[in-house]
Amino acid sequence: EMLSLKEEDVNLFLPDALQKLSERQFEVMRRAVELGYYSYPRKTDLKQLARKMRLSPSALREHLRLAESKLLPAAVRQFQRA
């Protein structure tokens, strides 16, 4: 099956993974989604997002990387069970 690049709602329930995020990681991830960083094509880039959040691009990248490293494995495990 080919993957679609259009945005679709996926019903994921990841309470354990969300609890592992720091407040800052959650806020950065929430704003990145809200402002279109994860959209295709992107509605904002890392530098613009960092500016809006008053962070350096490297700090923002690290917050996103840590949040993704906690959320993505949980999402993959959930899909494997489906």
Side-chain angles (χ1 to χ4, degrees), residues 8-68:
E8 292 183 22
D9 287 335
V10 177
N11 187 16
L12 289 177
F13 185 64
L14 304 170
D16 293 337
L18 287 173
Q19 290 176 358
K20 292 178 183 179
L21 297 182
S22 70
E23 286 183 34
R24 189 63 164 160
Q25 290 165 358
F26 179 80
E27 180 61 19
V28 164
M29 181 67 71
R30 185 189 68 75
R31 291 288 309 271
V33 170
E34 177 184 282
L35 295 173
Y37 180 76
Y38 290 104
S39 297
Y40 185 81
R42 287 192 172 161
K43 296 176 185 170
T44 190
D45 63 23
L46 189 76
K47 285 184 181 181
Q48 292 170 332
L49 185 58
R51 196 174 315 119
K52 288 178 183 178
M53 297 193 71
R54 296 188 173 126
L55 293 170
S56 69
S58 61
L60 176 62
R61 184 181 304 112
E62 184 66 7
H63 286 303
L64 289 174
R65 188 192 66 74
L66 288 170
E68 291 164 356

